[in-house]
């Protein structure tokens, strides 16, 4: 692929949670970062994606700008030591590698839990932010729409999304395992973003839990979910009494510093085992909370999907998913090649239209209105047929990687400008 598309990736594959949480970005930070990359670094076709498992930047530039991007991320996060994190980043410096990676991320092939559907929604949001910032060029628009179309094919043509193998479902399976010997376990979910809300839905669908309480800083966001799932809702101000009662606390609070501190948990007077499941990045539960007697913490890196039938079905569908991705990438590559000759096609069309208008001007002065209309229709149809043949030849030549010679020939034939700029 000839487009200068590249990517910089920090993901769970190389970076532990302690590193990822330092460099994660919320929506406001993603939007600020987009502005910096677009206006200060002059990058285009930008996509900034930050989730619990990854922070990635996709961009278009002739040269490798990854170091500048990472330094800009360090500046945004006020990390003067960002250079120490360079080994944790993957650099995808060819368009084939960058586009392949984005497809695998968006489909859920590169997820901690294979087939995780949440990532596709996060990619959609990242694309919306890029569009809002006017940082998405024609290539990124085409790429993302191809990604979304591919996602629909994967959804309808394969079993890759069957079952409930996701981070939120893996959290449910973990909680079921932790409370297997607890009669009527009391579960408290704090923070009701996308993952927190999904956990609540899985808990509601499970028959193992009948005592579930939910809590969110913004009560209005939680009321609809409480009604949907049939769960008890408490105000954030009443959180401490609920923490004392709960056997399991699932946290997906979005905050820069841990909300659950050792001091807070010590004051709960833990009398039996209390399990904290932290789904937040950055972590919302301080690591030293586990030093409180009776308290055990499970963070997002500890949530491994179980060998469930759903996961096995998804794994079996992976080859078909990769085949669909390959078909989409082939179509995208054909489009990218055709875009190289698009300026020539437009100039050919303009040249033919100029000739047509000149000839019409010569004859229409002596023609009746009906004759003028007929002459206009006939010459327009002739022009379109001539143009169509040349366009088809060009597109075929593009697929064969043999368009340069034809570009020169057509440029001379239609007396266009020097074609070097057309084929650049």
């Amino acid at each position: 692929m000839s487009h200068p598309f590249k990517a910089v990736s920090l993901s769970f594959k190389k970076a532990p949670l302690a590193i990822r949480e330092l460099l994660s970005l919320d929506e406001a930070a993603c939007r600020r970062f987009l502005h910096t990359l677009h206006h200060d670094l002059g990058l285009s076709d930008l996509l900034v994606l930050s989730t619990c498992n990854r922070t990635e930047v996709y961009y278009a530039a002739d040269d490798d700008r990854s170091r500048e991007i990472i330094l800009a991320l360090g500046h945004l996060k006020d990390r003067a030591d960002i250079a120490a994190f360079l080994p944790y980043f993957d650099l995808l410096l060819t368009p084939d590698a960058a586009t392949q990676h984005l497809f695998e991320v968006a489909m859920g092939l590169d997820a901690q839990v294979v087939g995780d559907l949440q990532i596709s929604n996060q990619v959609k949001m990242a694309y919306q932010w890029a569009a809002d910032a006017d940082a998405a060029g024609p290539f990124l628009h085409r790429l993302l729409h191809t990604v979304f179309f591919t996602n629909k094919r994967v959804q309808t043509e394969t079993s890759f999304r069957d079952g409930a193998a996701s981070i939120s479902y893996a959290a449910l399976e973990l909680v079921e395992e932790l409370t297997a010997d607890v009669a009527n376990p009391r579960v408290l979910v704090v923070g009701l973003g996308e993952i927190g809300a999904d956990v609540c839905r899985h808990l509601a669908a499970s028959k193992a839990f009948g005592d579930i309480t939910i809590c969110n800083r913004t009560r209005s966001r939680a009321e609809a979910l409480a009604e949907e799932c049939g769960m008890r809702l408490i105000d954030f101000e009443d959180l401490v009494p609920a923490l004392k009662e709960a056997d399991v606390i699932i946290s997906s609070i979005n905050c820069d510093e841990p909300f659950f501190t050792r001091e807070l948990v010590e004051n709960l007077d833990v009398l039996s085992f209390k399990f904290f499941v932290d789904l937040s990045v950055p972590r919302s539960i301080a690591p030293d909370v586990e030093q409180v007697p009776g308290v055990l913490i499970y963070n997002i890196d500890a949530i491994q999907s179980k060998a469930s039938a759903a996961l096995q079905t998804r794994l079996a569908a992976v080859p078909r998913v990769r085949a669909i991705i390959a078909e989409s990438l082939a179509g995208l590559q054909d489009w990218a090649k055709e875009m190289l000759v698009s300026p020539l096609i437009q100039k050919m069309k303009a040249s033919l239209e100029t000739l047509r208008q000149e000839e019409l001007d010569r004859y229409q002065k002596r023609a009746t209105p009906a004759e003028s209309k007929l002459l206009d229709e006939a010459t327009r149809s002739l022009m379109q047929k001539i143009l169509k043949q040349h366009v088809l030849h060009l597109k075929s030549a593009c697929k064969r990687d043999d368009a340069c010679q034809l570009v020169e020939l057509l440029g001379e034939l239609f007396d266009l400008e020097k074609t070097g700029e057309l084929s650049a």
Side-chain angles (χ1 to χ4, degrees):
M1 196 173 299
S2 56
H3 193 276
F5 195 60
K6 300 174 178 63
V8 179
S9 172
L10 178 87
S11 80
F12 69 95
K13 289 189 172 181
K14 285 176 68 173
L17 177 60
I19 299 298
R20 298 199 310 274
E21 66 183 357
L22 294 177
L23 300 177
S24 67
L25 306 173
D26 59 15
E27 178 180 345
C30 282
R31 290 181 181 274
R32 290 198 303 273
F33 199 31
L34 275 168
H35 186 275
T36 296
L37 297 175
H38 188 40
H39 294 279
D40 295 350
L41 299 188
L43 302 176
S44 60
D45 281 319
L46 280 165
L47 187 77
V48 175
L49 178 65
S50 190
T51 73
C52 59
N53 284 328
R54 67 187 68 249
T55 294
E56 297 181 334
V57 176
Y58 298 84
Y59 68 101
D62 292 330
D63 302 320
D64 174 11
R65 307 289 294 278
S66 54
R67 187 176 180 85
E68 293 173 74
I69 291 170
I70 295 170
L71 291 177
L73 175 61
H75 181 73
L76 178 70
K77 296 295 293 183
D78 196 24
R79 299 296 311 186
D81 57 347
I82 187 67
F85 300 149
L86 290 176
Y88 295 107
F89 285 86
D90 284 313
L91 310 182
L92 301 111
L93 302 179
T94 66
D96 290 343
T99 51
Q100 177 78 35
H101 181 70
L102 179 56
F103 270 92
E104 294 192 358
V105 167
M107 295 309 116
L109 283 173
D110 198 63
Q112 231 177 359
V113 177
V114 176
D116 194 341
L117 184 60
Q118 290 167 343
I119 186 64
S120 62
N121 295 326
Q122 291 162 332
V123 171
K124 286 181 181 178
M125 286 192 296
Y127 175 48
Q128 183 61 58
W129 301 338
D132 291 344
D134 198 25
F139 178 80
L140 190 69
H141 284 301
R142 181 74 179 209
L143 172 59
L144 267 297
H145 283 287
T146 304
V147 166
F148 301 147
F149 175 73
T150 304
N151 190 52
K152 287 182 180 179
R153 285 193 62 190
V154 168
Q155 185 80 27
T156 58
E157 297 178 24
T158 76
S159 56
F160 190 60
R161 296 278 166 70
D162 290 357
S166 65
I167 288 292
S168 53
Y169 190 74
L172 169 68
E173 289 185 323
L174 173 63
V175 173
E176 287 178 338
E177 182 180 297
L178 295 175
T179 59
D181 297 327
V182 180
N184 192 27
R186 295 161 294 183
V187 180
L188 171 64
V189 182
V190 186
L192 302 175
E194 185 176 0
I195 291 179
D198 279 349
V199 169
C200 289
R201 294 185 179 99
H202 288 311
L203 287 167
S206 172
K207 304 302 180 184
F209 305 100
D211 189 346
I212 305 169
T213 302
I214 62 176
C215 181
N216 196 57
R217 281 196 179 99
T218 307
R219 183 183 175 92
S220 59
R221 290 188 61 182
E223 288 175 344
L225 185 66
E227 183 176 352
E228 174 191 342
C229 297
M231 297 176 176
R232 183 165 67 99
L233 173 64
I234 63 167
D235 291 324
F236 207 76
E237 293 76 13
D238 299 324
L239 181 59
V240 171
L243 288 171
K244 291 181 177 180
E245 295 177 5
D247 299 301
V248 180
I249 296 95
I250 303 173
S251 173
S252 60
I253 299 174
N254 182 13
C255 52
D256 293 330
E257 299 292 335
F259 174 81
F260 294 99
T261 62
R262 179 175 177 176
E263 181 183 11
L264 171 62
V265 177
E266 280 179 333
N267 290 331
L268 297 179
D269 297 325
V270 178
L271 300 178
S272 60
F273 280 111
K274 209 177 272 290
F275 304 104
F276 281 80
V277 179
D278 192 351
L279 303 180
S280 305
V281 177
R283 282 175 283 189
S284 56
I285 303 170
D288 62 355
V289 166
E290 200 164 37
Q291 296 176 17
V292 177
V295 172
L296 293 172
I297 300 176
Y298 298 83
N299 63 40
I300 201 161
D301 279 351
I303 298 173
Q304 302 297 329
S305 62
K306 310 305 177 186
S308 62
L311 182 58
Q312 294 307 311
T313 300
R314 291 184 176 199
L315 291 175
V318 166
R320 177 58 185 148
V321 174
R322 291 195 180 279
I324 292 174
I325 290 175
E327 291 171 14
S328 295
L329 283 170
L332 182 68
Q333 188 164 15
D334 288 343
W335 173 85
K337 290 177 180 177
E338 291 173 11
M339 287 301 98
L340 289 176
V341 298
S342 180
L344 174 62
I345 293 171
Q346 296 304 316
K347 291 198 173 188
M348 285 168 52
K349 185 175 181 180
S351 177
L352 285 171
E353 179 63 19
T354 299
L355 289 172
R356 190 179 79 88
Q357 290 296 337
E358 288 175 355
E359 293 304 303
L360 283 177
D361 289 342
R362 288 176 57 193
Y363 291 102
Q364 282 184 331
K365 294 176 182 178
R366 305 191 299 272
T368 65
E371 290 171 335
S372 292
K373 182 179 178 182
L374 185 61
L375 193 59
D376 180 70
E377 291 174 352
T379 54
R380 187 184 302 278
S381 176
L382 179 62
M383 183 191 82
Q384 290 174 345
K385 287 180 179 179
I386 294 171
L387 188 63
K388 181 179 179 181
Q389 289 300 315
H390 290 305
V391 168
L392 289 176
H393 284 310
L394 271 173
K395 289 185 176 181
S396 296
C398 284
K399 290 182 179 180
R400 299 191 306 268
D401 288 324
D402 193 27
C404 291
Q405 189 174 359
L406 189 55
V407 165
E408 279 190 42
L409 180 62
L410 289 173
E412 293 174 4
L413 180 63
F414 286 91
D415 194 25
L416 302 178
E417 297 174 6
K418 185 75 174 171
T419 57
E421 68 184 65
L422 299 175
S423 57

